Amino acid sequence: MKIDSIETWRVQMPLIYPFRTAYGNDDRIETILVRMTSGDHYGWGEATPWQSPGYSPECAATAFIVVRDFLAPRLLGQDITSGRQLQDLLGVYKGNFFAKSSLDLAWWELEARRQQTPLYRLLGGTRQTVDVGADFGIMESVDLLLKTIGEAVASGFKRVKLKFRPGWDVDMVAAVRQAFPDLVFHIDCNSAYTLADAAMFQKLDQFNLAMIEQPLMFDDLIDHAALQKQLRTPICLDESITSPSKARKAIQAKACGWINVKAARVGGLTPALEIHDLCQEAGIPCWVGGMLESSLGGHHCLALSTLPNFKYPNDLFPSERFYRRDLSIPHMALSGPSQMNVPDVPGCGAEPDPACLESQTLEYTVLKR
Ligand code: MG
């Protein structure tokens, strides 16, 4: 299909309360939205690199510029028949995975709408209901955390993920394990540590964590492989996996037992599917992560998580957990305890609320053939 126009927005989304991780505290999320058209059809994409380059080398402002000045002009007027073809066109530019992802997602949604099919089916998804987990950032006190986990357990969440950083670490995990002996939970370190902390991570083996997510440098594989050799608990790589090639190397190096797949971090659904397949072949299970996207990006993640090698409750959240009013509609919602349903409608099933989009836009651009 020939790409006729590409609109791009940089948008801010105020959070109900600051999201606190090893990277710092964010009180609003910045996201990139893309609307791509071909003839009478359109599709929406979203990538959420955040307001500062804290999670990855990209931020929303740079992603906006890269899409506007380099990536979108590469695609405009081209007849693009596959996600791989789109990626090859964009491949002339290095990195910038979030920026590429916004366009890749828009292409897949456009193609799904054009074929009048749900996105999850186009991707090869095999289920219409997926498991989701509960995540908790750094809190004021361990007592508050235990109370909050208790509420999540009571409402049926199948697993809990906890942010972990110096000062909110081994003692916190010990308290959680003592209070919840059977809880399936893991920690996410967001790259806050080095190999010099190996002994601290070995102490965590006794708490039977499901995994330790991204303990070391955001782009590292070698040190993770060295750390994994010293641990019984599997490492899950997140930030380090930015492409199918990085995933293949991580598997070869035995750097992890799990991979968290974020379509935005790896450049889109096309590379996310490739990572899914190569992990499946290698016997490495995956799960889908998120960046607090609006419901639009959330629905793309939801569609991706219907593939068979996503084997751990995913990071997909009800809109009301983070946003007073989600930028996109319909809002993300649980369909049962620890579960979400995937809409059976053409496309991903969500798009921006025009009024919210207008009031929350920081920058906008349109390119037409
Ligand atoms: Mg993570």
Side-chain angles (χ1 to χ4, degrees):
M1 72 188 142
K2 200 154 259 188
I3 307 305
D4 292 325
S5 74
I6 297 172
E7 291 171 274
T8 311
W9 289 258
R10 177 163 72 92
V11 179
Q12 63 176 345
M13 308 190 291
L15 292 165
I16 294 175
Y17 45 81
F19 191 60
R20 302 168 78 190
T21 70
Y23 293 129
N25 307 333
D26 287 273
D27 58 6
R28 68 191 165 111
I29 298 295
E30 281 195 18
T31 192
I32 299 295
L33 300 180
V34 166
R35 185 175 186 273
M36 187 182 284
T37 66
S38 176
D40 295 335
H41 304 284
Y42 67 90
W44 283 95
E46 176 174 10
T48 308
W50 295 8
Q51 186 260 334
S52 74
Y55 171 84
S56 83
E58 293 178 79
C59 65
T62 62
F64 181 84
I65 291 168
V66 170
V67 169
R68 182 192 64 195
D69 294 352
F70 300 100
L71 305 182
R74 282 286 290 172
L75 304 183
L76 204 67
Q78 299 277 355
D79 187 12
I80 300 177
T81 55
S82 70
R84 184 29 54 204
Q85 185 192 350
L86 177 140
Q87 289 289 331
D88 289 344
L89 282 166
L90 299 183
V92 63
Y93 298 115
K94 306 296 180 287
N96 290 286
F97 301 109
F98 280 86
K100 287 175 181 172
S101 162
S102 64
L103 292 158
D104 181 281
L105 266 59
W107 181 87
W108 277 97
E109 225 250 332
L110 171 58
E111 179 63 8
R113 286 175 182 268
R114 200 180 64 83
Q115 292 189 23
Q116 286 291 300
T117 192
L119 177 62
Y120 82 93
R121 286 206 203 138
L122 191 62
L123 296 175
T126 53
R127 56 196 147 183
Q128 221 192 322
T129 301
V130 303
D131 285 340
V132 303
D135 288 31
F136 300 111
I138 288 121
M139 294 194 179
E140 301 302 326
S141 70
V142 170
D143 283 347
L144 178 61
L145 175 67
L146 296 179
K147 178 174 170 285
T148 313
I149 294 175
E151 289 163 4
V153 170
S155 57
F157 277 101
K158 291 179 180 168
R159 66 90 173 146
V160 164
K161 160 173 161 174
L162 303 174
K163 292 294 184 184
F164 187 94
R165 73 178 176 191
W168 185 259
D169 45 48
V170 180
D171 291 348
M172 177 275 291
V173 168
V176 172
R177 180 49 83 211
Q178 194 182 7
F180 303 96
D182 303 321
L183 178 68
V184 176
F185 79 106
H186 83 271
I187 55 167
D188 184 1
C189 310
N190 287 120
S191 313
Y193 297 90
T194 71
L195 264 187
D197 299 300
M200 187 274 293
F201 284 112
Q202 283 174 325
K203 277 192 213 160
L204 293 175
D205 269 340
Q206 64 185 299
F207 299 115
N208 192 28
L209 295 172
M211 62 191 81
I212 297 173
E213 189 176 339
Q214 195 71 34
L216 310 179
M217 275 285 280
F218 77 98
D219 60 352
D220 169 76
L221 297 178
I222 303 295
D223 285 357
H224 281 100
L227 180 62
Q228 182 66 89
K229 263 197 206 132
Q230 302 173 57
L231 301 180
R232 286 197 311 274
T233 310
I235 287 175
C236 172
L237 288 177
D238 175 355
E239 284 89 331
S240 287
I241 306 301
T242 48
S243 65
S245 158
K246 287 289 287 285
R248 180 177 55 75
K249 288 168 188 158
I251 293 166
Q252 269 175 10
K254 296 187 166 44
C256 61
W258 287 87
I259 288 181
N260 168 337
V261 180
K262 293 179 174 140
R265 190 195 66 230
V266 303
L269 289 165
T270 307
L273 293 176
E274 292 168 5
I275 291 171
H276 169 275
D277 292 352
L278 73 91
C279 285
Q280 189 170 33
E281 241 167 70
I284 299 288
C286 302
W287 53 287
V288 171
M291 294 295 295
L292 309 193
E293 294 89 350
S294 80
S295 171
L296 165 65
H299 275 76
H300 277 276
C301 295
L302 193 54
L304 178 64
S305 66
T306 62
L307 273 88
N309 196 43
F310 292 116
K311 294 185 166 171
Y312 186 69
N314 303 284
D315 268 352
L316 293 159
F317 310 109
S319 297
E320 63 187 22
R321 167 100 164 72
F322 293 104
Y323 296 110
R324 248 180 219 104
R325 184 177 174 190
D326 196 310
L327 178 75
S328 301
I329 44 178
H331 294 173
M332 300 286 284
L334 296 174
S335 56
S338 215
Q339 284 190 336
M340 280 189 187
N341 281 342
V342 185
D344 216 5
V345 297
C348 75
E351 57 185 283
D353 176 338
C356 286
L357 184 57
E358 195 180 330
S359 66
Q360 292 172 226
T361 292
L362 301 169
E363 284 184 278
Y364 168 80
T365 185
V366 57
L367 280 174
K368 287 182 184 162
R369 196 148 72 88

